[in-house]
Amino acid sequence: MVQENGVPVGMKHYPAEFKADAVALYQSRPGATIKSVATDLGVNTETLRNWIRAADGRRSGTHSTPAAPRPDGDGVQAELTAARKRIRELEEERDILRKAARYFAGETRW
């Protein structure tokens, strides 16, 4: 494989935040397999496995950053409130788009 700047061509570079989020996603799904989470994220299974090992501290010399600390109770409540507000906004947008689709489908006689 041809290399550019010491990195094999075709290898993807993922931001540290993405790696941490991928590990957190795997750890938050008790019944999930590494393969299923990797497929959902579009990353190689072994890549995700390495990130998980690095996060668990079983492997040294990695470039992964540690997971962010958990917010306190007030921060969680504020985040939950903001998430619920965003969900309501998205549901409203979805409903508007559905109505528009029905209207235009009637106009074009689909």
Side-chain angles (χ1 to χ4, degrees), residues 29-52:
R29 293 181 175 176
T33 62
I34 292 176
K35 182 177 181 179
S36 67
V37 174
T39 302
D40 290 346
L41 296 174
V43 299
N44 185 291
T45 304
E46 287 304 312
T47 301
L48 179 59
R49 187 181 321 276
N50 290 337
W51 295 345
I52 293 168

Side-chain angles (χ1 to χ4, degrees), residues 18 39 53 61 105 109:
F18 179 79
T39 302
R53 286 181 184 151
R109 302 189 192 274

Side-chain angles (χ1 to χ4, degrees), residues 5-6 10-11 15 18 22 25 28 42 46-47 49-50 60 69 73-74 77 87-88 90 107-108:
N5 299 328
M11 290 186 67
F18 179 79
L25 178 64
S28 70
E46 287 304 312
T47 301
R49 187 181 321 276
N50 290 337
S60 61
D74 293 335
Q77 190 62 34
I87 289 170
R88 280 192 304 275
L90 292 171
E107 288 289 314
T108 57

